[in-house]
């Protein structure tokens, strides 16, 4: 900030009276209220007659007044009023108009959390005696009724209440005769008891609130710093001097000296600031920041003293002290070769110790890796052992308590293994008649075991049948479900699903055992009313059986004698539920369609049981050209003769299809190949062992892609263990990872698989597509045409 006293020729004052100052104050107030953009406006003083020499007096300024409005963070500096500087006595300058500072409108604000202080600027000066009264200000709080808005402004205590009204006429847009102020008859503020720097509250309201209502005054938010401000400086104990200060607009960005930023409003608050322009370094004419000044230049220069001097020594008549002298003895002269040899030997010693330290670290790292590897191998071995024990335990439990078809396959397979071991033992131990007797005993024992397995199978079939019936009825009673766009599942019940659910609850109640007599009668009565809704032969028979059971229960017949009757009722009611006329929802779940015309489609003849069955009851391998026996006949033949267990091949095929689905490249061949096709590949082509380690446990073997970038097929596969398969799929180049002998052996197996599956029409189409793609790839790999040749 540069403080510059304003020139005396630029400012002149005029002798004005107190009344004239009040009128000018009103005029200035109205002008400042109408000028909302904050532009400067000049006020022409009244002309003065020639020959008069007005006295120069400093402009009055409110002294000690503190505004109630808290400044905003952006404009936290309070700006004083602009007033001309006083002139020394004796000079008679001409009177010139002074310009008003920009942005001197009174700031108005509501009282709720906002206290506003507005300093009223006096634009005209009076005489010496009048200026002393004009310097006395007081705070006036104007309360607008009925908006209940308080406005605090600074006024001269010599001003009248009418002049206060004139200040608000333009702002409130209410005529002066309509605007009513308390203390209307009082001439000045001093008459109502206001003292300098005091505070008084005045209410202001409208006489015609309907036509001229009093509204809240919009507060002035922006504040512009004027170019010149007036600062009063105390030069002596009772002497003050007004100094005009010119505000210089900085053309550079102030240095950031720390601060923070409001997250909501985005206003920056600085911890410190400076208006002093930084000093510029003088230009010495030398380029300082260059490469030459940052580069060291070394040179050798011999230095020798210009003057030859002598040394004073001890002699006769002269004593020179030798207390500080040093005795220097010459050492063995060391040549450059010897010096460099010593340095080389020292470097070799350092390298020896460093290499020893590095070797120790390498050995320790290798030992740690070896320890971790051995621990991992032990854990893997333990994990595999536990998995194998768990698998054997599950197979033992499944053979001990068979419940599914796979369980009985394992049981018959174990029986066949036991029979073969017994036959081998008998053939190696006995001969002649003893051998025949032992074989007969073995046959009888095998027959007993088969009969025991059959009894278990009947019991299991009965339990599974009841579970299948309940599952069938639950599926019919399920509500309609669909997935919305947001992932939520929506369920809806229809009249058919509600009917199916009602019949399901009745069937469960009928099938329950050990019910009390009263509850059983209630269930029978509910069933009777349900089936009576439809009149037919089936419902009549159900009602007749219900009446018979109720009559026998009333006569005290034991429950064991009623089991057959109750089973008949359950069977007939199940038949009633499966009828689409009585339960429409069951039509979409039944295997046999209600329309007889649909039975003629996809029906094949089984040569084993001589029955016509749907296509779903036949398991047709990929190399079969005709439909043979049904699944039931194949299963019966397997139990009677070969007794093989296909569970391991089913798991292998399931893992293969799951791994192919994870690639997400629309692989199809893995889903076309059946269980028997995979069994042929494993047994006849790959020999039931891993191609790398010859591991023969089928539970640990998996089929993976040979080239992971191509779709799986019988001619693009390899049989490996699970750990070997993980390592194989991580390879990027098979030719670098495997030897050529191993690769040729794999290719040979691929050729065998291709020759076998080329006879299958469904898979042969994929084979031809693969050959066409390979042929196109071969055509692309050609020698480039030289640039100078012509096509």
């Amino acid at each position: 900030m540069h403080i510059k006293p304003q020139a005396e020729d630029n400012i002149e004052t005029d002798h004005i009276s107190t009344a004239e100052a009040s009128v000018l104050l009103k005029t200035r107030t109205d002008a400042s209220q109408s000028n909302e953009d904050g532009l400067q406006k000049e006020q022409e003083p009244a002309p003065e007659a020639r020959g008069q020499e007005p006295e120069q007096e400093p402009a009055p300024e409110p002294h000690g007044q503190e505004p109630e409005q808290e400044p905003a963070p952006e404009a936290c500096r309070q700006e004083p009023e602009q007033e001309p500087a006083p002139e020394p006595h004796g000079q008679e300058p001409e009177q010139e108009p002074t310009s008003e500072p920009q942005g001197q409108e009174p700031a108005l604000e509501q009282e709720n959390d906002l206290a506003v202080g507005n300093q009223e600027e006096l634009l005209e000066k009076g005489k010496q005696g009048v200026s002393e009264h004009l310097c006395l200000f007081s705070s006036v709080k104007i309360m607008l009724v009925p908006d209940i808005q308080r406005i605090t402004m600074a006024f001269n205590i010599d001003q009248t209440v009418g002049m206060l009204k004139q200040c608000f006429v333009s702002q409130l847009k209410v005529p002066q005769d309509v605007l009513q102020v308390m203390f209307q008859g009082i001439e000045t503020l001093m008459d109502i008891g206001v003292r300098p720097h005091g505070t008084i509250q005045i209410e202001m309201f409208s006489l015609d609130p309907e036509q001229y209502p009093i509204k809240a005054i919009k507060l002035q938010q922006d504040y512009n710093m004027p170019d010149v401000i007036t600062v009063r400086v105390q030069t002596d104990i009772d002497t003050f001097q007004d100094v005009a200060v010119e505000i210089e607009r900085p053309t550079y960005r102030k240095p950031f000296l720390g601060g923070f930023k409001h997250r909501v409003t985005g206003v920056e608050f600085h911890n410190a600031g400076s208006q002093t322009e930084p000093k510029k370094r003088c230009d010495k004419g030398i380029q300082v920041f260059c490469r030459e000044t940052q580069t060291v230049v070394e040179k050798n220069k011999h230095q020798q003293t210009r003057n030859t001097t002598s040394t004073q020594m001890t002699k006769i008549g002269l004593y020179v002290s030798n207390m500080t002298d040093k005795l220097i003895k010459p050492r063995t002269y060391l040549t450059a070769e010897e010096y460099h040899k010593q340095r080389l030997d020292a470097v070799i010693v350092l390298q020896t110790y460093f290499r020893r330290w590095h070797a120790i670290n390498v050995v320790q790292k290798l030992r740690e890796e070896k320890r971790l590897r051995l621990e991992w191998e032990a854990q893997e071995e333990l994990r595999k052992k536990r998995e194998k024990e768990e698998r054997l335990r599950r197979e033992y439990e499944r053979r001990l308590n068979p419940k599914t078809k796979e369980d009985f396959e394992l049981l018959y397979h174990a029986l066949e293994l036991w029979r073969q071991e017994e036959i081998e033992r008998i053939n190696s131990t006995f001969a002649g008649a003893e051998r025949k007797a032992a074989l007969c005993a073995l046959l009888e024992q095998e027959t007993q075991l088969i009969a025991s397995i059959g009894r278990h199978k009947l019991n299991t079939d009965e339990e599974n049948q009841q579970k299948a019936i309940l599952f069938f009825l639950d599926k019919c009673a399920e509500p309609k479900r669909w997935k919305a766009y947001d992932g939520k599942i929506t369920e809806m019940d229809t009249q058919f699903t509600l009917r199916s659910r009602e019949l399901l609850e009745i069937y469960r109640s009928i099938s329950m055992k050990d019910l009390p007599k009263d509850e059983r009668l209630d269930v029978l009565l509910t069933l009777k009313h349900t089936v009576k809704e439809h009149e037919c032969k089936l419902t009549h028979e159900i009602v007749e059986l219900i009446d018979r059971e109720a009559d026998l229960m009333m006569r005290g017949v034991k429950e064991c004698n009623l089991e057959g009757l109750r089973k008949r009722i359950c069977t007939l009611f199940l038949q009633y539920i499966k009828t689409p006329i009585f339960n429409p929802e069951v039509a979409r779940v039944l295997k046999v369609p209600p329309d007889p015309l649909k039975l003629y489609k996809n029906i094949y003849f089984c040569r084993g049981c001589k029955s016509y069955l749907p296509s779903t009851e036949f398991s047709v391998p990929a190399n079969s050209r005709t439909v043979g026996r049904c699944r039931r006949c194949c299963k019966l033949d397997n139990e009677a003769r070969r007794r093989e267990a296909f569970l391991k091949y089913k798991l292998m095929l399931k893992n293969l299809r799951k791994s192919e689905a994870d690639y997400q490249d629309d692989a199809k061949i893995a889903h076309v190949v059946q269980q028997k096709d995979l069994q042929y590949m494993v047994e006849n082509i790959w020999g039931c062992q891993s191609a790398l380690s010859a591991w023969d446990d089928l539970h640990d073997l998996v089929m993976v892609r040979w080239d992971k970038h191509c779709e799986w097929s019988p001619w693009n596969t390899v049989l490996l263990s699970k750990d070997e398969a993980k390592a194989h799929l991580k390879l990027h180049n098979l030719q670098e990872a495997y030897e050529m002998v191993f690769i040729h052996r794999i290719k040979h197996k691929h050729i065998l698989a291709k020759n076998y599956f080329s006879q299958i029409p469904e898979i042969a189409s994929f084979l031809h597509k693969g050959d066409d793609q390979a042929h196109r790839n071969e055509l692309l790999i050609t020698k480039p045409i030289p640039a100078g040749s012509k096509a």
Side-chain angles (χ1 to χ4, degrees), residues 515-525 553-554:
L515 280 177
K517 183 177 179 181
D518 298 338
E519 294 183 7
R520 180 69 183 180
L521 290 176
D522 292 341
V523 172
L524 292 176
L525 183 61
M553 289 177 62
M554 296 302 295

Side-chain angles (χ1 to χ4, degrees), residues 413-689:
H413 182 65
L415 177 63
E416 180 65 17
L417 294 179
W418 171 80
R419 188 184 68 85
Q420 292 178 2
E421 290 178 0
E422 290 295 323
I423 290 177
E424 292 179 0
R425 183 182 63 82
I426 292 173
N427 291 335
S428 61
T429 306
F430 302 102
E434 294 181 356
R435 176 178 171 275
K436 291 183 179 181
L439 291 175
C440 290
L442 177 62
L443 180 60
E444 183 178 357
Q445 190 174 1
E446 181 184 1
T447 305
Q448 293 177 0
L449 293 175
I450 292 175
S452 177
I453 294 174
R455 288 192 296 271
H456 279 288
K457 192 174 183 180
L458 291 176
N459 296 333
T460 304
D461 289 343
E462 185 177 357
E463 294 177 2
N464 293 339
Q465 183 181 5
Q466 189 66 21
K467 292 180 181 179
I469 292 173
L470 293 176
F471 177 76
F472 172 79
L473 297 179
D474 285 333
K475 193 173 182 179
C476 295
E478 286 181 353
K480 305 293 183 181
R481 292 186 179 91
W482 62 86
K483 192 174 183 180
Y485 69 94
D486 55 354
K488 295 182 179 179
I489 303 298
T490 306
E491 297 183 355
M492 182 186 70
D493 283 322
T494 62
Q495 55 180 350
F496 301 138
T497 57
L498 294 176
R499 172 70 177 178
S500 299
R501 199 172 302 163
E502 180 184 358
L503 296 177
L504 171 62
E505 296 298 332
I506 296 175
Y507 182 81
R508 285 179 177 174
S509 302
I510 290 295
S511 303
M512 292 178 65
K513 297 180 180 181
D514 300 332
L515 280 177
K517 183 177 179 181
D518 298 338
E519 294 183 7
R520 180 69 183 180
L521 290 176
D522 292 341
V523 172
L524 292 176
L525 183 61
T526 304
L527 176 60
K528 184 176 181 180
H529 290 306
T530 302
V531 298
K532 269 189 175 181
E533 297 175 0
H534 304 86
E535 295 290 337
C536 64
K537 182 178 179 181
L538 179 61
T539 57
H540 286 307
E541 188 174 356
I542 294 175
V543 171
E544 182 181 353
L545 293 177
I546 291 173
D547 294 338
R548 186 183 304 175
E549 182 181 357
D551 184 41
L552 293 176
M553 289 177 62
M554 296 302 295
R555 295 185 180 185
V557 179
K558 296 180 180 180
E559 292 187 0
C560 59
N561 297 329
L562 298 176
E563 289 183 0
L565 181 59
R566 292 177 178 177
K567 287 183 179 180
R568 287 185 62 191
I569 294 175
C570 290
T571 304
L572 293 177
F573 184 60
L574 180 61
Q575 185 179 353
Y576 174 85
I577 294 175
K578 289 184 178 181
T579 306
I581 299 176
F582 309 137
N583 186 14
E585 192 66 22
V586 82
R588 65 180 181 87
V589 187
L590 285 174
K591 290 184 179 180
V592 179
D595 188 7
L597 296 178
K598 294 183 179 180
L599 294 173
Y600 295 100
K601 298 179 181 179
N602 297 328
I603 299 298
Y604 298 96
F605 179 73
C606 177
R607 299 179 181 180
C609 58
K610 310 297 182 183
S611 302
Y612 289 93
L613 300 172
S615 59
T616 56
E617 297 295 330
F618 294 88
S619 59
V620 182
N623 60 347
S624 178
R625 298 182 180 274
T626 59
V627 178
R629 294 177 298 180
C630 62
R631 298 178 185 273
R632 185 176 179 182
C633 295
C634 294
K635 177 173 169 294
L636 185 62
D637 180 70
N638 182 45
E639 293 176 356
R641 298 181 181 179
R642 294 175 297 174
R643 297 171 182 172
E644 295 180 356
F646 303 104
L647 181 61
K648 45 194 173 184
Y649 297 108
K650 290 181 181 179
L651 294 177
M652 190 179 297
L653 182 60
K654 181 180 178 181
N655 294 332
L656 173 62
R657 291 176 176 175
K658 183 179 178 181
S659 62
E660 287 298 304
D662 294 339
Y663 282 103
Q664 298 180 357
D665 56 355
D666 197 16
K668 299 179 180 179
I669 303 178
H671 300 278
V672 175
V673 174
Q674 299 297 320
Q675 173 187 329
K676 292 185 178 179
D677 303 328
L678 186 66
Q679 182 180 357
Y680 176 83
M681 293 173 56
V682 173
E683 293 180 353
N684 299 332
I685 296 179
W686 297 98
C688 295
Q689 62 182 8

Side-chain angles (χ1 to χ4, degrees), residues 144-204:
L144 302 181
V145 181
D147 286 346
I148 314 299
Q149 181 185 13
R150 289 187 180 182
I151 304 170
T152 304
M153 299 179 61
F155 288 92
N156 196 306
I157 60 177
D158 291 337
Q159 291 184 349
T160 62
V161 179
M163 297 176 66
L164 299 182
K165 285 176 43 177
Q166 293 178 2
C167 295
F168 289 89
V169 167
S170 60
Q171 297 181 8
L172 297 175
K173 297 181 180 180
V174 178
Q176 186 174 0
D177 55 346
V178 179
L179 190 63
Q180 184 68 24
V181 183
M182 292 186 65
F183 307 106
Q184 184 69 27
I186 305 302
E187 292 184 0
T188 62
L189 297 178
M190 187 183 300
D191 296 338
I192 60 176
V194 180
R195 295 294 177 262
H197 310 296
T199 303
I200 188 171
Q201 181 171 340
I202 299 176
E203 295 184 359
M204 185 178 294

